[in-house]
Amino acid sequence: MDPTAPTRHQLAVHTVPLPRRPLDPEPEPCAPSACPDARARHWYENDLGWATVPGRPLRLLTGVRFDVLVVPAEAGAEALRHLAPGSPVALRGDRMELLVAAGSAEELPGLLDWLEWSAVTLDLRVLGAGGTLAAPVPPAGVSVPTRPGAAQLRAGSVQGAAVWLRPPGPGGEAEASLPTMPAVGREGSAPDLVRLVDTVAAQCHQVRLRRLRAGLPTVCRPIQPLAFS
């Protein structure tokens, strides 16, 4: 026998594969009862029927069910009287986000021109088709189905988002209250987009003049009729 030949034990060591390490189980998806983002997404998608964008932070798709007019908060406050009681409005720092009928973003440049505001620098912008809006925190009292024994989370646990000054109603109630062009029209008394834009433009101009007189910097956000985020 060749003393250098491997023994059967040595052959077994080299031929028998090592035991496999068990695969790590895939994490379970974040349930609404366990994750603030999932809880808010459930409310927007299931209760309101609004499209959201995959990923974090939670963002809403604009131009489908609504467009958004973004203005200084002090200018937006003066325009609230032109909105229906159920017309959604969000507050994000010193900016106010007024939800308007889908398609309003495309109408805005021509509307400002007709109202003779197109030559004036205005601190307002619009989110329309293909754009996204960081989702405001759901209002207090909003709940979603949870598993028995699961902890309830407060709506305010979603951090870094705007808050609803006037929260949207369920289903299609929000869309029915959105300002729209008179020519588009809908049954009932939908707020007039023309009056809203004229008031917002005038207030934006007043805000800019006050800041100039006070020696404060003015912020210019050009109007974009289509999508941007």
Side-chain angles (χ1 to χ4, degrees):
M1 175 180 291
D2 186 356
T4 62
T7 65
R8 278 186 290 180
H9 174 71
Q10 291 174 323
L11 287 174
V13 170
H14 290 284
T15 56
V16 177
L18 295 174
R20 290 187 177 183
R21 179 177 177 270
L23 296 176
D24 294 330
E26 293 186 4
E28 295 183 0
C30 186
S33 60
C35 175
D37 271 357
R39 181 178 182 277
R41 191 182 301 275
H42 183 282
W43 181 65
Y44 280 112
E45 292 183 350
N46 292 58
D47 292 7
L48 302 183
W50 291 358
T52 64
V53 180
R56 300 178 64 185
L58 178 60
R59 302 189 71 83
L60 306 175
L61 189 64
T62 60
V64 179
R65 305 290 291 272
F66 59 85
D67 290 349
V68 183
L69 191 61
V70 185
V71 300
E74 52 187 314
E78 294 295 327
L80 294 180
R81 59 190 174 90
H82 292 301
L83 300 177
S87 189
V89 178
L91 191 63
R92 189 184 308 273
D94 63 348
R95 310 291 292 174
M96 190 174 289
E97 298 165 344
L98 310 172
L99 269 62
V100 294
S104 298
E106 297 178 3
E107 301 283 352
L108 189 59
L111 183 55
L112 287 172
D113 186 56
W114 183 72
L115 293 169
E116 299 183 349
W117 283 112
S118 59
V120 181
T121 301
L122 299 172
D123 182 13
L124 67 91
R125 57 179 182 144
V126 66
L127 302 171
T132 63
L133 175 73
V137 176
V142 169
S143 61
V144 297
T146 59
R147 295 170 299 179
Q152 294 286 341
L153 297 176
R154 294 182 296 108
S157 61
V158 182
Q159 299 180 354
V163 295
W164 284 112
L165 185 62
R166 293 185 179 182
E173 292 180 14
E175 286 84 350
S177 67
L178 297 180
T180 185
M181 290 290 289
V184 176
R186 284 174 292 188
E187 296 182 2
S189 55
D192 188 345
L193 182 65
V194 177
R195 292 178 182 273
L196 174 65
V197 170
D198 193 32
T199 300
V200 166
Q203 291 302 317
C204 283
H205 184 52
Q206 291 297 323
V207 169
R208 185 170 185 271
L209 292 179
R210 286 197 295 269
R211 293 181 69 85
L212 286 173
R213 286 195 292 267
L216 299 173
T218 58
V219 180
C220 300
R221 295 177 173 87
I223 294 174
Q224 299 189 18
L226 297 177
F228 67 95
S229 57

